[in-house]
Coordinates of all heavy atoms in Angstrom, one line a residue:
Q87 N 1.3 -4.6 -32.1 CA 1.4 -5.7 -33.1 C 0.1 -6.3 -33.3 O -0.3 -6.6 -34.5 CB 2.4 -6.8 -32.6 CG 3.8 -6.4 -33.1 CD 4.9 -7.3 -32.4 OE1 4.6 -7.9 -31.4 NE2 6.1 -7.2 -32.9
S88 N -0.7 -6.5 -32.3 CA -2.0 -7.2 -32.5 C -2.9 -6.2 -33.2 O -3.7 -6.6 -34.1 CB -2.6 -7.7 -31.2 OG -3.0 -6.7 -30.4
K89 N -2.8 -4.9 -32.9 CA -3.6 -3.9 -33.6 C -3.2 -3.9 -35.1 O -4.1 -3.8 -36.0 CB -3.3 -2.5 -33.1 CG -4.0 -2.2 -31.7 CD -5.5 -1.8 -32.0 CE -6.2 -1.5 -30.7 NZ -6.1 -2.5 -29.6
H90 N -1.9 -4.0 -35.4 CA -1.4 -4.0 -36.7 C -2.0 -5.2 -37.5 O -2.4 -5.0 -38.6 CB 0.1 -4.0 -36.7 CG 0.7 -4.0 -38.1 ND1 0.8 -2.9 -38.9 CD2 1.3 -5.0 -38.8 CE1 1.4 -3.1 -40.0 NE2 1.7 -4.4 -40.0
T91 N -1.9 -6.3 -36.9 CA -2.4 -7.5 -37.5 C -3.9 -7.4 -37.8 O -4.4 -7.7 -38.9 CB -2.2 -8.8 -36.6 OG1 -0.9 -8.8 -36.2 CG2 -2.6 -10.1 -37.3
E92 N -4.6 -6.8 -36.9 CA -6.1 -6.6 -37.0 C -6.3 -5.7 -38.2 O -7.2 -5.9 -39.1 CB -6.6 -5.8 -35.8 CG -7.4 -6.7 -34.8 CD -7.8 -5.9 -33.6 OE1 -8.4 -4.7 -33.7 OE2 -7.5 -6.4 -32.5
L93 N -5.5 -4.7 -38.4 CA -5.7 -3.7 -39.5 C -5.4 -4.4 -40.8 O -6.2 -4.2 -41.7 CB -4.7 -2.6 -39.3 CG -5.0 -1.3 -40.0 CD1 -6.3 -0.7 -39.5 CD2 -3.8 -0.3 -39.8
I94 N -4.3 -5.2 -40.9 CA -4.0 -5.9 -42.1 C -5.2 -6.8 -42.5 O -5.6 -6.9 -43.6 CB -2.7 -6.7 -42.0 CG1 -1.5 -5.7 -41.7 CG2 -2.4 -7.5 -43.2 CD1 -1.2 -4.8 -42.8
N95 N -5.7 -7.5 -41.5 CA -6.8 -8.4 -41.7 C -8.0 -7.7 -42.3 O -8.7 -8.1 -43.2 CB -7.2 -9.2 -40.5 CG -6.2 -10.3 -40.1 OD1 -5.4 -10.7 -41.0 ND2 -6.2 -10.8 -38.9
A96 N -8.2 -6.5 -41.7 CA -9.4 -5.7 -42.1 C -9.2 -5.3 -43.6 O -10.2 -5.4 -44.4 CB -9.6 -4.5 -41.2
Y97 N -8.0 -4.9 -43.9 CA -7.7 -4.5 -45.3 C -8.0 -5.7 -46.2 O -8.7 -5.6 -47.3 CB -6.3 -4.1 -45.5 CG -6.0 -2.6 -45.2 CD1 -5.0 -2.2 -44.3 CD2 -6.8 -1.6 -45.8 CE1 -4.8 -0.9 -44.0 CE2 -6.5 -0.3 -45.5 CZ -5.5 0.1 -44.6 OH -5.3 1.4 -44.4
N98 N -7.4 -6.8 -45.9 CA -7.5 -8.0 -46.7 C -9.0 -8.4 -46.9 O -9.4 -8.7 -48.0 CB -6.7 -9.2 -46.2 CG -5.2 -8.9 -46.3 OD1 -4.8 -8.1 -47.2 ND2 -4.4 -9.6 -45.6
E99 N -9.7 -8.4 -45.8 CA -11.1 -8.8 -46.0 C -11.9 -7.8 -46.8 O -12.8 -8.2 -47.6 CB -11.7 -8.9 -44.5 CG -11.3 -10.2 -43.8 CD -11.4 -10.1 -42.3 OE1 -12.0 -9.1 -41.8 OE2 -10.9 -11.0 -41.6
T100 N -11.6 -6.5 -46.6 CA -12.2 -5.5 -47.5 C -12.0 -5.7 -49.0 O -12.9 -5.7 -49.8 CB -11.7 -4.1 -47.1 OG1 -12.0 -3.9 -45.7 CG2 -12.5 -3.0 -47.8
I101 N -10.7 -6.0 -49.2 CA -10.3 -6.2 -50.6 C -11.0 -7.4 -51.2 O -11.5 -7.4 -52.3 CB -8.8 -6.3 -50.7 CG1 -8.2 -4.9 -50.5 CG2 -8.4 -6.9 -52.1 CD1 -6.8 -4.9 -50.1
E102 N -11.0 -8.5 -50.4 CA -11.7 -9.7 -50.9 C -13.2 -9.4 -51.1 O -13.8 -10.0 -52.0 CB -11.4 -10.9 -50.0 CG -10.1 -11.6 -50.4 CD -9.5 -12.6 -49.4 OE1 -10.3 -13.2 -48.7 OE2 -8.3 -12.6 -49.4
G103 N -13.7 -8.6 -50.2 CA -15.1 -8.2 -50.3 C -15.4 -7.5 -51.6 O -16.4 -7.7 -52.3
W104 N -14.5 -6.6 -52.0 CA -14.7 -5.8 -53.3 C -14.7 -6.8 -54.4 O -15.5 -6.7 -55.4 CB -13.5 -4.9 -53.5 CG -13.6 -3.6 -52.6 CD1 -14.6 -3.3 -51.8 CD2 -12.6 -2.6 -52.5 NE1 -14.3 -2.1 -51.2 CE2 -13.1 -1.6 -51.6 CE3 -11.4 -2.4 -53.1 CZ2 -12.4 -0.5 -51.3 CZ3 -10.7 -1.2 -52.8 CH2 -11.2 -0.3 -51.9
A105 N -13.7 -7.7 -54.4 CA -13.6 -8.7 -55.5 C -14.9 -9.5 -55.6 O -15.4 -9.8 -56.7 CB -12.4 -9.6 -55.3
K106 N -15.4 -9.9 -54.4 CA -16.7 -10.6 -54.4 C -17.8 -9.8 -55.0 O -18.7 -10.2 -55.7 CB -17.0 -11.1 -53.0 CG -16.5 -12.5 -52.8 CD -16.9 -13.1 -51.5 CE -15.9 -14.1 -51.0 NZ -15.5 -13.9 -49.6
A107 N -17.9 -8.5 -54.5 CA -18.9 -7.6 -55.0 C -18.9 -7.5 -56.5 O -19.9 -7.6 -57.2 CB -18.7 -6.2 -54.4
L108 N -17.7 -7.5 -57.1 CA -17.6 -7.4 -58.6 C -18.1 -8.7 -59.2 O -18.8 -8.7 -60.2 CB -16.2 -7.1 -59.0 CG -16.0 -7.0 -60.5 CD1 -16.8 -5.8 -61.1 CD2 -14.5 -6.9 -60.9
S109 N -17.7 -9.8 -58.6 CA -18.1 -11.1 -59.2 C -19.6 -11.3 -59.1 O -20.2 -12.1 -59.9 CB -17.3 -12.3 -58.5 OG -17.9 -12.5 -57.2
L110 N -20.3 -10.6 -58.2 CA -21.8 -10.7 -58.1 C -22.4 -10.0 -59.3 O -23.5 -10.3 -59.7 CB -22.3 -10.0 -56.8 CG -22.0 -10.8 -55.5 CD1 -22.6 -10.0 -54.3 CD2 -22.7 -12.2 -55.5
K111 N -21.6 -9.0 -59.8 CA -22.2 -8.1 -60.8 C -21.9 -8.7 -62.2 O -22.7 -8.4 -63.2 CB -21.5 -6.8 -60.7 CG -22.1 -5.6 -61.5 CD -21.5 -4.3 -61.0 CE -21.2 -3.3 -62.1 NZ -22.3 -2.5 -62.5
E112 N -20.7 -9.3 -62.4 CA -20.4 -9.7 -63.8 C -20.2 -11.2 -63.9 O -20.3 -11.9 -63.0 CB -19.2 -9.0 -64.3 CG -17.9 -9.3 -63.5 CD -16.7 -9.2 -64.3 OE1 -16.7 -8.8 -65.4 OE2 -15.6 -9.7 -63.7
E113 N -20.0 -11.7 -65.1 CA -19.9 -13.1 -65.4 C -18.7 -13.8 -64.8 O -18.7 -14.9 -64.4 CB -19.9 -13.3 -66.9 CG -18.6 -13.0 -67.5 CD -18.6 -12.9 -69.0 OE1 -19.7 -12.5 -69.6 OE2 -17.6 -13.1 -69.6
E114 N -17.6 -13.1 -64.8 CA -16.3 -13.7 -64.2 C -16.5 -14.0 -62.7 O -17.0 -13.2 -62.0 CB -15.1 -12.8 -64.5 CG -14.6 -12.9 -65.9 CD -13.2 -12.4 -66.1 OE1 -12.8 -11.5 -65.2 OE2 -12.6 -12.8 -67.0
T115 N -16.1 -15.2 -62.4 CA -16.4 -15.6 -61.0 C -15.3 -15.3 -60.0 O -14.2 -14.9 -60.4 CB -16.6 -17.2 -61.0 OG1 -15.4 -17.7 -61.5 CG2 -17.7 -17.6 -61.9
A116 N -15.7 -15.4 -58.7 CA -14.7 -15.2 -57.7 C -13.6 -16.2 -57.9 O -12.4 -16.0 -57.5 CB -15.3 -15.3 -56.3
E117 N -13.9 -17.4 -58.4 CA -12.9 -18.5 -58.6 C -11.9 -18.0 -59.6 O -10.7 -18.3 -59.5 CB -13.5 -19.8 -59.0 CG -14.3 -20.6 -57.9 CD -15.7 -20.0 -57.7 OE1 -16.4 -19.9 -58.7 OE2 -16.0 -19.6 -56.5
H118 N -12.4 -17.3 -60.6 CA -11.4 -16.8 -61.6 C -10.4 -15.9 -61.0 O -9.2 -16.1 -61.2 CB -12.2 -16.1 -62.7 CG -11.4 -15.1 -63.6 ND1 -10.5 -15.6 -64.5 CD2 -11.2 -13.8 -63.6 CE1 -9.9 -14.6 -65.1 NE2 -10.3 -13.5 -64.5
S119 N -10.9 -15.0 -60.1 CA -10.0 -14.1 -59.4 C -9.0 -14.9 -58.6 O -7.8 -14.5 -58.6 CB -10.8 -13.2 -58.5 OG -10.8 -11.9 -58.9
Q120 N -9.5 -15.9 -57.9 CA -8.5 -16.7 -57.0 C -7.5 -17.4 -57.9 O -6.3 -17.4 -57.6 CB -9.3 -17.7 -56.2 CG -10.2 -17.1 -55.1 CD -9.3 -16.5 -54.0 OE1 -8.1 -16.8 -53.9 NE2 -9.9 -15.6 -53.2
R121 N -8.0 -18.0 -59.0 CA -7.1 -18.8 -59.8 C -6.0 -17.9 -60.4 O -4.8 -18.3 -60.4 CB -7.9 -19.5 -60.9 CG -8.5 -20.8 -60.5 CD -8.9 -21.6 -61.8 NE -9.6 -20.8 -62.8 CZ -11.0 -20.7 -62.8 NH1 -11.7 -21.4 -62.0 NH2 -11.6 -19.9 -63.7
V122 N -6.4 -16.8 -61.0 CA -5.4 -16.0 -61.7 C -4.5 -15.3 -60.7 O -3.3 -15.1 -61.0 CB -6.0 -14.9 -62.6 CG1 -6.8 -15.5 -63.8 CG2 -6.9 -13.9 -61.8
T123 N -5.0 -15.1 -59.5 CA -4.1 -14.5 -58.4 C -3.0 -15.6 -58.0 O -1.8 -15.2 -58.0 CB -4.9 -14.2 -57.2 OG1 -5.8 -13.2 -57.6 CG2 -4.0 -13.6 -56.1
E124 N -3.4 -16.8 -57.8 CA -2.5 -17.8 -57.4 C -1.4 -18.0 -58.5 O -0.2 -18.1 -58.2 CB -3.2 -19.1 -57.2 CG -3.4 -19.4 -55.7 CD -4.5 -20.5 -55.5 OE1 -4.3 -21.6 -56.1 OE2 -5.4 -20.2 -54.8
M125 N -1.9 -18.1 -59.8 CA -0.9 -18.4 -60.8 C 0.0 -17.2 -61.1 O 1.2 -17.4 -61.4 CB -1.7 -18.7 -62.1 CG -0.9 -19.4 -63.1 SD -2.0 -20.1 -64.4 CE -1.0 -21.3 -65.1
T126 N -0.5 -16.0 -61.0 CA 0.3 -14.8 -61.1 C 1.4 -14.7 -60.1 O 2.6 -14.5 -60.4 CB -0.5 -13.5 -61.1 OG1 -1.6 -13.6 -62.0 CG2 0.3 -12.3 -61.3
V127 N 1.0 -15.0 -58.8 CA 2.0 -15.0 -57.7 C 3.1 -16.1 -58.0 O 4.3 -15.9 -57.8 CB 1.3 -15.2 -56.4 CG1 2.3 -15.5 -55.3 CG2 0.5 -14.0 -56.0
K128 N 2.6 -17.2 -58.5 CA 3.6 -18.3 -58.7 C 4.6 -17.9 -59.8 O 5.8 -18.2 -59.6 CB 2.8 -19.5 -59.2 CG 3.4 -20.9 -59.0 CD 2.4 -22.0 -59.3 CE 3.1 -23.1 -60.1 NZ 2.1 -24.0 -60.6
I129 N 4.2 -17.3 -60.9 CA 5.1 -16.9 -61.9 C 6.0 -15.8 -61.4 O 7.2 -15.8 -61.7 CB 4.3 -16.5 -63.2 CG1 3.6 -17.7 -63.7 CG2 5.3 -15.9 -64.2 CD1 2.7 -17.4 -64.9
A130 N 5.4 -14.8 -60.7 CA 6.2 -13.7 -60.2 C 7.3 -14.2 -59.3 O 8.4 -13.7 -59.3 CB 5.3 -12.7 -59.4
K131 N 7.0 -15.2 -58.5 CA 8.0 -15.8 -57.6 C 9.1 -16.4 -58.4 O 10.3 -16.2 -58.1 CB 7.3 -16.9 -56.7 CG 7.8 -16.9 -55.3 CD 7.0 -18.1 -54.6 CE 6.8 -17.7 -53.1 NZ 5.8 -18.6 -52.5
A132 N 8.7 -17.2 -59.4 CA 9.7 -17.8 -60.3 C 10.6 -16.8 -61.0 O 11.7 -17.1 -61.4 CB 9.0 -18.7 -61.3
M133 N 10.0 -15.6 -61.2 CA 10.8 -14.6 -61.9 C 11.6 -13.7 -60.9 O 12.1 -12.7 -61.3 CB 9.9 -13.7 -62.8 CG 9.3 -14.6 -63.9 SD 8.4 -13.7 -65.1 CE 9.7 -13.0 -66.2
G134 N 11.6 -14.1 -59.6 CA 12.5 -13.5 -58.7 C 11.9 -12.4 -57.8 O 12.6 -11.7 -57.1
M135 N 10.6 -12.2 -57.8 CA 10.0 -11.2 -56.9 C 10.1 -11.6 -55.4 O 9.9 -12.8 -55.1 CB 8.6 -10.9 -57.3 CG 8.4 -10.0 -58.4 SD 6.7 -9.4 -58.5 CE 6.7 -8.8 -60.2
G136 N 10.4 -10.6 -54.6 CA 10.5 -10.8 -53.1 C 9.1 -10.8 -52.5 O 8.1 -10.4 -53.1
E137 N 9.1 -11.2 -51.2 CA 7.9 -11.4 -50.5 C 7.0 -10.2 -50.5 O 5.8 -10.3 -50.7 CB 8.2 -11.8 -49.0 CG 8.5 -13.3 -48.8 CD 7.3 -14.2 -49.3 OE1 6.2 -13.9 -49.0 OE2 7.7 -15.2 -50.0
E138 N 7.6 -9.0 -50.2 CA 6.8 -7.8 -50.1 C 6.2 -7.4 -51.4 O 5.0 -7.1 -51.4 CB 7.7 -6.6 -49.6 CG 6.9 -5.6 -48.8 CD 7.6 -4.4 -48.5 OE1 8.9 -4.5 -48.3 OE2 7.0 -3.3 -48.5
E139 N 6.9 -7.5 -52.5 CA 6.4 -7.2 -53.8 C 5.2 -8.2 -54.1 O 4.2 -7.8 -54.7 CB 7.5 -7.4 -54.8 CG 7.7 -6.2 -55.7 CD 8.9 -6.5 -56.7 OE1 9.9 -7.1 -56.2 OE2 8.8 -6.1 -57.8
L140 N 5.4 -9.5 -53.8 CA 4.4 -10.5 -54.1 C 3.1 -10.2 -53.4 O 2.0 -10.5 -53.9 CB 4.9 -11.9 -53.6 CG 6.0 -12.5 -54.5 CD1 6.5 -13.8 -53.8 CD2 5.5 -12.8 -55.9
Y141 N 3.2 -9.6 -52.2 CA 2.0 -9.3 -51.4 C 1.1 -8.3 -52.2 O -0.1 -8.5 -52.4 CB 2.4 -8.7 -50.1 CG 1.2 -8.2 -49.3 CD1 0.4 -9.1 -48.7 CD2 0.9 -6.8 -49.2 CE1 -0.7 -8.7 -48.0 CE2 -0.2 -6.4 -48.5 CZ -1.0 -7.4 -47.9 OH -2.1 -6.9 -47.2
Y142 N 1.8 -7.3 -52.8 CA 1.0 -6.3 -53.6 C 0.6 -6.9 -54.9 O -0.5 -6.5 -55.5 CB 1.8 -5.0 -53.7 CG 2.0 -4.3 -52.4 CD1 3.1 -4.4 -51.6 CD2 0.9 -3.6 -51.9 CE1 3.2 -3.8 -50.4 CE2 1.0 -3.0 -50.7 CZ 2.1 -3.1 -49.9 OH 2.2 -2.5 -48.7
V143 N 1.4 -7.8 -55.5 CA 1.0 -8.4 -56.7 C -0.3 -9.2 -56.5 O -1.3 -9.2 -57.2 CB 2.1 -9.4 -57.2 CG1 1.5 -10.4 -58.3 CG2 3.2 -8.6 -57.8
R144 N -0.4 -9.9 -55.3 CA -1.6 -10.6 -54.9 C -2.8 -9.7 -54.8 O -3.8 -10.0 -55.4 CB -1.3 -11.3 -53.6 CG -2.2 -12.4 -53.3 CD -2.0 -13.1 -51.9 NE -3.3 -13.6 -51.5 CZ -4.2 -12.9 -50.8 NH1 -3.9 -11.8 -50.3 NH2 -5.3 -13.5 -50.5
L145 N -2.6 -8.6 -54.1 CA -3.8 -7.7 -54.0 C -4.2 -7.2 -55.4 O -5.4 -7.1 -55.7 CB -3.4 -6.5 -53.1 CG -3.1 -6.7 -51.7 CD1 -2.9 -5.4 -50.9 CD2 -4.2 -7.6 -51.0
G146 N -3.2 -6.8 -56.2 CA -3.5 -6.3 -57.5 C -4.2 -7.3 -58.4 O -5.2 -6.9 -59.1
A147 N -3.8 -8.5 -58.3 CA -4.5 -9.6 -59.1 C -5.9 -9.8 -58.7 O -6.8 -9.9 -59.5 CB -3.6 -10.9 -59.0

Side-chain angles (χ1 to χ4, degrees):
Q87 271 167 347
S88 72
K89 285 278 185 306
H90 181 73
T91 310
E92 256 174 52
L93 200 64
I94 297 294
N95 286 344
Y97 275 129
N98 288 340
E99 284 157 10
T100 304
I101 287 157
E102 272 163 37
W104 285 355
K106 266 185 208 132
L108 180 65
S109 73
L110 287 177
K111 190 171 143 86
E112 64 148 7
E113 77 195 27
E114 280 196 338
T115 59
E117 286 79 55
H118 163 75
S119 249
Q120 288 294 341
R121 277 196 311 269
V122 294
T123 298
E124 261 162 53
M125 200 166 197
T126 303
V127 168
K128 203 167 137 195
I129 296 174
K131 216 181 217 168
M133 295 186 81
M135 275 196 201
E137 279 304 315
E138 207 189 328
E139 233 178 320
L140 287 174
Y141 176 73
Y142 290 99
V143 165
R144 197 182 153 268
L145 295 189

